[in-house]
Amino acid sequence: MSRKSLKNVMRLIDTAKETLPVEQSFINDLKRSIELEADKYQRLPSKTYKPSGMNCIRASYYQIMGIQPDEGTSNYTMVGICNSGTDIHVRVQTAIEQMKSNDMDCEYIDVGKFVKTRGLTDKLDIVSQNGMETKLYHKTLNMSFMCDGIIKYKDHYYILEIKTESSYKFMNRKDVDPSHYNQGTAYSLAFGINEVIFVYVNRDIFDMKAFMFNVSDEMKENLVGYIEECDGYVKRMIAPPKPDNVTKKACSYCSYKAQCRKDR
């Protein structure tokens, strides 16, 4: 498109904005402001593996290599969903912490203290603790993650992972989402606990379901193999082939679409 044509298009857009009703112009500007504000705080992710994003080896490769994510990708609805999810996490975590005071055999375990008392500091660094969220770094696997918590329920330890989703997904939720398997496995590798309780929360009406995820030795070996394979591509500085089993959801939310198209 020529410079003159582009100017004409922009002029038409500006004219259309001026003819909009005030309330429609306001809401459009509000949505755009939310997106622009979110874009201000986008930063280059650390060159570490993220358990929640280990469903595509190519995306993991880009992150470890420090490839620049797509710019200006914030969407006002996604910003709202993320903010809502953060708020629900805090509410659920607080409610679990209160179970003990209500005479229920459940204790919310401080993850930082758990790491220290279990002698896990040789492989795990406690990066930060903010309220009930603990950021950790797995030194041997070059993996960083935020843990929702560990609970001691009826004299048994479990890793806790909270997920929020829409009413439609929640109604059809029968088990742990396969896209969350690697995340649960990564936490098991870190803490030495083989049982992960996934709590799925309907963010529309705040209903909840819980599912047990039992991590096997084979799952752990496969995840370590995934990291070792990706490290091999990083060492050779060659992008891995895009895997055939990557879901549409993983692709749609990926931050490296532009780079992935280049590497086809």
Side-chain angles (χ1 to χ4, degrees):
M1 183 180 290
S2 68
R3 186 183 294 263
K4 184 177 180 181
S5 298
L6 183 60
K7 283 184 177 180
N8 289 336
V9 170
M10 295 303 297
R11 191 178 297 114
L12 288 171
I13 293 173
D14 290 338
T15 302
K17 284 183 178 179
E18 290 173 2
T19 59
L20 283 174
V22 171
E23 66 275 17
Q24 190 59 55
S25 177
F26 164 75
I27 205 67
N28 288 348
D29 284 344
L30 173 59
K31 292 173 181 177
R32 185 58 183 147
S33 179
I34 291 171
E35 293 171 347
L36 291 171
E37 198 64 25
D39 285 340
K40 287 180 185 177
Y41 296 97
Q42 283 190 347
R43 57 185 178 82
L44 193 65
S46 63
K47 297 179 181 180
T48 59
Y49 292 100
K50 308 294 190 296
S52 59
M54 296 171 71
N55 290 310
C56 174
I57 192 170
R58 178 175 278 193
S60 294
Y61 167 85
Y62 292 146
Q63 185 148 328
I64 299 299
M65 290 294 292
I67 300 297
Q68 180 69 45
D70 299 343
E71 295 183 0
T73 56
S74 296
N75 175 275
Y76 73 93
T77 56
M78 288 307 302
V79 173
I81 288 171
C82 289
N83 289 339
S84 172
T86 299
D87 180 66
I88 288 173
H89 270 68
V90 173
R91 292 179 183 275
V92 173
Q93 288 167 319
T94 301
I96 293 172
E97 188 181 42
Q98 293 167 343
M99 289 172 68
K100 187 175 182 180
S101 64
N102 288 312
D103 298 323
M104 296 176 184
D105 190 4
C106 183
E107 183 180 358
Y108 195 95
I109 305 298
D110 183 290
V111 173
K113 290 181 180 177
F114 182 88
V115 169
K116 292 174 183 176
T117 57
R118 290 298 181 97
L120 300 176
T121 53
D122 58 330
K123 67 175 180 178
L124 293 177
D125 278 339
I126 302 168
V127 179
S128 63
Q129 286 188 275
N130 182 20
M132 296 180 180
E133 295 284 339
T134 304
K135 186 173 183 179
L136 299 161
Y137 174 69
H138 197 299
K139 290 178 270 191
T140 56
L141 296 179
N142 186 29
M143 181 172 68
S144 59
F145 59 97
M146 299 283 285
C147 176
D148 287 337
I150 295 173
I151 61 171
K152 187 179 181 182
Y153 183 63
K154 296 185 177 180
D155 206 35
H156 194 85
Y157 287 95
Y158 302 94
I159 298 168
L160 175 71
E161 179 58 27
I162 303 165
K163 298 292 184 184
T164 60
E165 58 187 2
S166 66
S167 292
Y168 175 77
K169 284 186 177 180
F170 184 83
M171 285 169 49
N172 294 286
R173 174 66 54 209
K174 305 298 182 185
D175 204 345
V176 176
D177 195 308
S179 67
H180 299 151
Y181 288 179
N182 280 345
Q183 187 174 8
T185 303
Y187 293 166
S188 177
L189 272 170
F191 298 121
I193 299 174
N194 291 332
E195 293 167 305
V196 185
I197 295 179
F198 279 86
V199 176
Y200 289 86
V201 184
N202 182 331
R203 61 172 170 264
D204 300 320
I205 61 173
F206 205 72
D207 196 4
M208 294 179 284
K209 295 178 182 178
F211 303 97
M212 185 69 69
F213 181 63
N214 295 290
V215 182
S216 67
D217 289 341
E218 183 181 6
M219 291 175 183
K220 295 177 187 177
E221 290 168 4
N222 288 339
L223 191 66
V224 172
Y226 172 101
I227 292 174
E228 290 176 344
E229 182 182 359
C230 189
D231 284 343
Y233 284 106
V234 170
K235 190 175 293 185
R236 297 191 299 273
M237 299 181 69
I238 300 173
K242 184 179 177 180
D244 296 329
N245 60 349
V246 176
T247 64
K248 289 183 179 179
K249 177 183 175 182
C251 283
S252 62
Y253 288 111
C254 182
S255 300
Y256 300 100
K257 294 189 189 72
Q259 184 64 46
C260 188
R261 284 192 292 268
K262 292 178 182 177
D263 290 332
R264 286 187 183 280

